[in-house]
Amino acid sequence: MQGLDARLSLAGVSRREFLAFCGAAATALGLGISGAPAVADALQRGPRLTPAIWLNLGSCTGCTESLAQSGTPDIATIVLDMLSLDYMETLGAAAGTQAESALDDTLRRGGHLAIVEGAVMTGEAGNTLRIAGTTGDALLERVCRDAALVIAVGSCAADGGWVRARPNPAGATGVLQHLPQLEPRLVNLPTCPVNPEWVVAVLSGHLLGLPLPPLDDLRRPLTFFGQTIHDNCPRRGHFANGEFVERFGSLEESLGWCLYDMGCKGPVTRTDCPRVRWNRGVSWCVESGSPCIGCGSPDWVDAGAPFLSRTNAVRPGIAGLRPEVAGEVVAAGAAGAFAIWGVVETARGRLRDTMDSGETDRTDHEEPSGTLKNG
Amino acid sequence: MARVAIDPITRIEGHLRVEIEVDSGVVKDAWVSGGLYRGMETVLQGRAPADAFYIAQRICGVCPISHGHASTMGSEAALGIKIPNNARIVRNIIEGAEFLHSHVLWFYTLTALDYVDVVSALSANIADTYALAEKAGTTTADFGAIQKRLAGFVKGGQLSIFTNGYWGHPAMKLPAELNLIAVAHYLEALQIQAQAAEIIAIMGGKFPHFMTSIPGGTSWVASEQRLADVLFRWQGVSDFITNTMIPDTLAIAPFYLEAAGYGKGVGNFLAWGVFDDVSMDPKKRVMPRGALTGLTPFDPKPEEVTEFIKHSWYDSGDNLNPAKGETKADFTTYDLNGKYSWVKAPRLNGKPMEVGPLARMLVAYVDGVAPVKALVDGALGALSKAAGKKLPPTVLVSLLGRVAARNLEAKVIADAMGGWIGEMVAAVKGGDSKYFVEATQSDGQGAGLWEAPRGALGHWVNVSGGKIANYQVVTPSTWDCSPRDDAGVRGPMEEALVGTPIADPTKPLEALRIVHSFDP
Ligand code: SF4
Ligand code: SF4
């Protein structure tokens, strides 16, 4: 290897862009911007790149696609400069026995990262996913056994995602549910697909030799999953004013009013989507006029659908409230109900079939995130 | 006689296994096996039509826009919804951006490594590389710097995604200089695909998986500012396709002219059509609806589609139209004489149909669609010159034609997209503010027959009491990667593999080319 500079310019990345990335990564890792030199240093130090294996299980390849939409560093930098991605079905030049021998070599050497995309498919004795003459779950076990770190990217890897939605015809589940022994060295990064900026931050932390970032009890980094979307939503002011979109494509929509009444799951979804945004920051779901469908929540399809369902009967103005305070009243008045909902769900061990946005609003005030764990 | 299994097939979306029988350096028989079953159709039962839009697009992370649109169109057909004109334009632009994203990604990132020897680029002469780029009319880059850095990368011994590639393979034919040009454009293409995806993110919230094309129209409201953001990105992508991707295609093709001699496939083509004009008539779409046997056109009837399962791991009705289709998984064992795939075998009037850009371009060409005709004739002229003889349109029914068709189509769509952006700007300036209509009924049956970048796509939706009573999807890869049907007739990719020359059965690169040409 001829040093980072060479790799950077091969990837078409300037040193300045690289340093900008280091600053962003340091901030994301909680080191503050003053940590940037340490990040840069660590990324340049190693004589060898960290080997990594990217496994596609029961996936749509959307998380790989999403990684390709990463900003700084871009995909070329990630796969050529940060890591040696020795096995990756979507981008790898090698196929068949050529690919398998690359996988074998990497596993033999050990010390690799395992990045897993897609649900673990257990249906039909694992044969709902067959790769190279074996089942996907067998391959997963082999790849994760000696991995230094396992990153479950996207909701499907985190808990089965949409694939395990009722009635879960193919026996889908998440990596951690399937291999609980991985817990100490596993990080979950849900949303559908994964946001690439989180992947890059977690990778950087690992390459820096840092301990895992603080995680919630679903193994999600608190930096990205510690607050609800509603907490950071630019439309929150309209929520407070009781200014709601009532119909798609309406005047209210063009004014950027709150999508709460359209079924927005922002109040119960703990991700930093409004801040990190998507596709190199150009937009995100609510900005496009759609309510959040909560794709980063546990069991997101069955918990969130019907996605466009209306809220509770409690509506701004109905009780004679002034619109500007109505929104906050809706939020506050419901707090107790949410706590009860949480307890009930803990008892059942899974989320309820449909999540009512009217109740979910209370997470702002009492957030029993620990009760959302999947059974 | 050698039996070769390629598993995993890489540089595709999904999980695929291909087995070939090679005799005297030629493929004599082939079997294509899909390795994944997730059960989307079953998951959708009993849900709201709008939920199907959000969920069904997650079938494919490379073409979620197409699935989202086919799902929404299926629901709209079932519920009798006619969308506002603005929604049609918005959907066209989003869909077009996905096609461009997908085609660029496919050519440079997925299939190029079958033809371009990355390691050979190290021995390119830099001055000759510039001369060659100029002669080919393609864009240049800092070739010297790229080569130097490539050398460092290779010397480091960790090739990352290039590990164990087919470098030095006898079927690699490009001169070192052209390999270096392609490596430079491989890196540039990674930026361009992201730029195309940003158009989707602006109008759809994010990519992959978007938010806005719900049944009834769109939740995205256009503004001049946002359209300027779209226009700017479209220009960048469009420039790349016109000035880099098309010239690269025409520069590489002459070195692989023998690829015009095999990889023909079944010779039947189906396109449901994509990109509506204001008439909303599928036959007037920018890529129109149609079907061909050879180059003879006929009208494809959706009710003549049936799916066979004799060789697929399902235990449900055989030979059913998707409107009445069933999907019940039942893995037995991998047996090439029995069941060997998770993919069903769809047939139109009993015949296997190839779908994809080649099908769309041939249908449009035979239909006389002007921009398609001009581009195809131009490309045929250039190839005829390289071959030293006049090549007829039938030469396109081949590996070479399938690759070229996708890249030429990118140009057709890039040009059309400029028109849609113009239409949208005019609508905003003219004060048309209608983007959405509510459904007025809650029962009905319909189908969203549309195209993904990789081919004809159908979502059959049956709604009862506002809930989905039945849902069936026939994806492009179901058509192209189909196993044998009940009569033992091979699917299009299986058939295209037969006759392919294989220089080294331990490294069956040429078979990968055939597989990738379908962009599964
Ligand atoms: S309900 Fe949704 S759109 Fe409204 S403020 Fe909260 S997160 Fe934003
Ligand atoms: S805003 Fe909501 S729907 Fe959009 S990516 Fe974030 S969690 Fe998913």
Side-chain angles (χ1 to χ4, degrees):
Chain A
M1 180 174 140
Q2 284 197 341
L4 185 83
D5 273 342
R7 286 180 180 279
L8 287 182
S9 56
L10 172 64
V13 175
S14 73
R15 176 151 275 274
R16 220 181 56 184
E17 286 171 315
F18 174 70
L19 290 175
F21 155 64
C22 294
T27 311
L29 291 164
L31 298 174
I33 191 70
S34 60
V39 174
D41 199 44
L43 291 180
Q44 295 174 78
R45 208 168 34 209
R48 283 187 71 77
L49 298 174
T50 300
I53 294 167
W54 183 295
L55 266 194
N56 279 83
L57 299 180
S59 80
C60 70
T61 318
C63 292
T64 302
E65 263 278 4
S66 191
L67 189 77
Q69 313 309 321
S70 137
T72 313
D74 65 3
I75 178 72
T77 314
I78 297 167
V79 303
L80 300 175
D81 307 328
M82 285 176 69
L83 299 169
S84 186
L85 255 178
D86 298 342
Y87 180 90
M88 182 181 203
E89 286 185 34
T90 317
L91 295 181
T97 50
Q98 301 277 109
E100 287 183 273
S101 79
L103 176 67
D104 294 343
D105 290 346
T106 304
L107 290 180
R108 200 174 314 116
R109 283 196 293 265
H112 60 279
L113 279 165
I115 305 167
V116 185
E117 166 180 6
V120 185
M121 307 303 294
T122 66
E124 308 289 310
N127 284 294
T128 39
L129 174 57
R130 296 171 55 82
I131 303 173
T134 180
T135 58
D137 56 348
L139 184 61
L140 173 74
E141 252 187 278
R142 209 174 130 227
V143 166
C144 290
R145 195 177 306 135
D146 297 320
L149 175 67
V150 179
I151 309 176
V153 297
S155 295
C156 296
D159 75 348
W162 74 259
V163 193
R164 80 149 204 186
R166 211 179 35 233
N168 193 3
T173 186
V175 175
L176 186 56
Q177 287 89 337
H178 190 67
L179 299 173
Q181 68 272 24
L182 294 178
E183 175 145 359
R185 53 196 165 100
L186 177 139
V187 174
N188 275 324
L189 297 176
T191 64
C192 185
V194 70
N195 193 305
E197 313 303 332
W198 303 331
V199 182
V200 168
V202 171
L203 283 174
S204 308
H206 177 77
L207 299 179
L208 279 165
L210 295 175
L212 286 178
L215 305 173
D216 68 7
D217 55 4
L218 297 174
R219 306 292 297 172
R220 307 180 294 185
L222 279 165
T223 330
F224 315 129
F225 297 88
Q227 289 180 306
T228 66
I229 287 174
H230 190 64
D231 286 337
N232 294 301
C233 183
R235 300 191 177 193
R236 181 62 180 267
H238 296 294
F239 176 87
N241 289 342
E243 293 166 348
F244 297 101
V245 175
E246 304 289 335
R247 196 171 173 280
F248 285 122
S250 60
L251 175 67
E252 292 73 22
E253 173 51 56
S254 68
L255 295 172
W257 284 11
C258 170
L259 291 159
Y260 180 79
D261 269 5
M262 305 302 289
C264 185
K265 303 294 178 282
V268 276
T269 306
R270 301 176 72 86
T271 72
D272 70 350
C273 299
R275 288 200 294 217
V276 66
R277 300 164 64 89
W278 286 92
N279 297 80
R280 313 201 265 190
V282 298
S283 191
W284 70 290
C285 307
V286 165
E287 189 169 308
S288 75
S290 167
C292 162
I293 57 171
C295 73
S297 290
D299 201 11
W300 72 271
V301 168
D302 287 333
F307 298 117
L308 305 182
S309 71
R310 295 271 170 164
T311 62
N312 269 14
V314 189
R315 293 282 302 264
I318 289 180
L321 294 167
R322 282 178 298 121
E324 60 271 24
V325 296
E328 298 298 358
V329 170
V330 171
F338 181 78
I340 293 164
W341 174 76
V343 172
V344 169
E345 292 321 304
T346 313
R348 281 198 205 147
R350 66 187 301 267
L351 290 174
R352 191 159 60 186
D353 294 343
T354 56
M355 195 178 342
D356 183 313
S357 303
E359 290 182 356
T360 56
D361 196 19
R362 290 125 227 186
T363 34
D364 266 9
H365 308 278
E366 290 188 23
E367 172 46 45
S369 79
T371 61
L372 298 181
K373 198 158 188 163
N374 296 306
Chain B
M1 196 78 93
R3 182 62 74 87
V4 182
I6 317 174
D7 185 6
I9 295 280
T10 52
R11 287 180 273 127
I12 61 164
E13 192 287 295
H15 297 276
L16 207 62
R17 171 192 177 92
V18 166
E19 269 196 59
I20 49 176
E21 202 148 84
V22 182
D23 190 15
S24 317
V26 175
V27 176
K28 292 289 186 243
D29 207 347
W31 298 263
V32 174
S33 167
L36 174 63
Y37 165 76
R38 288 170 299 174
M40 173 62 87
E41 293 145 325
T42 311
V43 165
L44 292 174
Q45 308 291 333
R47 298 186 189 272
D51 288 348
F53 158 70
Y54 289 112
I55 303 169
Q57 57 175 295
R58 285 162 162 91
I59 288 174
C60 175
V62 185
C63 49
I65 310 302
S66 315
H67 280 281
H69 283 157
S71 174
T72 279
M73 290 163 68
S75 294
E76 286 165 349
L79 301 178
I81 298 172
K82 303 243 177 306
I83 60 168
N85 193 42
N86 284 345
R88 169 190 70 84
I89 307 169
V90 168
R91 289 183 191 179
N92 273 359
I93 299 172
I94 297 181
E95 185 77 51
E98 180 201 71
F99 269 64
L100 301 187
H101 160 88
S102 181
H103 285 4
V104 167
L105 195 71
W106 171 80
F107 183 57
Y108 287 99
T109 316
L110 302 184
T111 206
L113 302 179
D114 296 334
Y115 303 89
V116 172
D117 188 331
V118 174
V119 176
S120 143
L122 289 176
S123 47
N125 175 296
I126 297 303
D128 292 351
T129 306
Y130 280 104
L132 180 60
E134 189 167 330
K135 187 164 152 256
T138 192
T139 48
T140 58
D142 189 346
F143 294 127
I146 287 172
Q147 188 186 47
K148 219 163 99 211
R149 274 77 201 222
L150 185 62
F153 181 71
V154 171
K155 215 168 87 205
Q158 283 180 290
L159 291 190
S160 192
I161 53 171
F162 300 135
T163 304
N164 282 4
Y166 301 88
W167 323 130
H169 192 284
M172 291 285 195
K173 305 280 193 212
L174 299 186
E177 288 72 23
L178 196 45
N179 282 319
L180 181 55
I181 292 173
V183 169
H185 293 164
Y186 174 98
L187 294 170
E188 198 183 339
L190 287 172
Q191 295 299 324
I192 297 297
Q193 59 83 20
Q195 211 173 329
E198 284 172 20
I199 296 176
I200 303 170
I202 291 167
M203 301 173 72
K206 70 199 223 297
F207 180 86
H209 305 329
F210 75 129
M211 307 295 289
T212 48
S213 294
I214 23 89
T218 173
S219 66
W220 187 74
V221 176
S223 69
E224 285 189 52
Q225 174 54 44
R226 278 322 230 171
L227 286 171
D229 294 340
V230 167
L231 185 71
F232 164 73
R233 287 170 175 82
W234 165 76
Q235 268 163 350
V237 176
S238 184
D239 278 357
F240 179 83
I241 287 165
T242 305
N243 299 319
T244 305
M245 187 161 154
I246 296 292
D248 283 356
T249 309
L250 295 176
I252 291 171
F255 295 93
Y256 292 103
L257 279 180
E258 35 85 44
Y262 56 88
K264 288 165 65 88
V266 293
N268 310 316
F269 299 96
L270 168 68
W272 293 131
V274 63
F275 305 119
D276 276 308
D277 76 354
V278 70
S279 75
M280 300 295 276
D281 176 353
K283 287 183 153 177
K284 294 200 179 129
R285 288 174 177 169
V286 170
M287 301 305 291
R289 180 167 298 180
L292 301 169
T293 305
L295 292 185
T296 311
F298 67 95
D299 276 345
K301 298 201 179 63
E303 56 279 12
E304 288 178 353
V305 174
T306 59
E307 293 190 293
F308 293 92
I309 57 155
K310 183 175 173 192
H311 295 285
S312 317
W313 291 306
Y314 296 99
D315 173 23
S316 39
D318 196 24
N319 196 13
L320 295 179
N321 181 260
K324 304 216 153 47
E326 299 170 13
T327 305
K328 197 164 162 283
D330 182 25
F331 181 80
T332 44
T333 180
Y334 177 79
D335 173 10
L336 294 182
N337 295 312
K339 291 180 182 283
Y340 63 91
S341 181
W342 280 115
V343 177
K344 294 180 184 176
R347 297 292 184 262
L348 181 69
N349 208 355
K351 291 204 180 59
M353 307 298 291
E354 172 172 345
V355 301
L358 179 58
R360 287 191 295 261
M361 290 293 277
L362 287 176
V363 165
Y365 185 85
V366 171
D367 203 26
V369 174
V372 171
K373 231 180 145 330
L375 259 177
V376 169
D377 287 339
L380 282 173
L383 290 178
S384 299
K385 222 166 114 196
K389 61 174 185 214
K390 191 163 162 33
L391 300 174
T394 45
V395 79
L396 292 171
V397 184
S398 65
L399 169 60
L400 186 76
R402 201 174 291 114
V403 172
R406 185 171 279 104
N407 294 4
L408 295 176
E409 186 189 60
K411 169 82 177 134
V412 176
I413 295 169
D415 291 349
M417 229 171 123
W420 303 324
I421 298 171
E423 276 187 84
M424 199 63 240
V425 171
V428 169
K429 286 199 156 107
D432 183 351
S433 59
K434 219 162 153 20
Y435 290 86
F436 182 79
V437 292
E438 302 275 357
T440 52
Q441 66 193 60
S442 53
D443 297 277
Q445 271 198 24
L449 302 173
W450 192 238
E451 298 277 326
R454 47 211 43 73
L457 167 65
H459 285 230
W460 278 260
V461 188
N462 182 350
V463 185
S464 170
K467 296 224 159 117
I468 288 164
N470 198 22
Y471 203 105
Q472 286 286 311
V473 181
V474 183
T475 68
S477 291
T478 312
W479 286 104
D480 284 340
C481 303
S482 126
R484 283 150 172 75
D485 56 29
D486 290 14
V489 177
R490 294 186 196 99
M493 186 186 288
E494 293 182 335
E495 189 61 37
L497 281 159
V498 175
T500 301
I502 301 286
D504 175 0
T506 67
K507 291 181 182 169
L509 174 61
E510 302 90 328
L512 281 176
R513 288 178 181 162
I514 298 284
V515 172
H516 289 149
S517 71
F518 288 92
D519 188 18

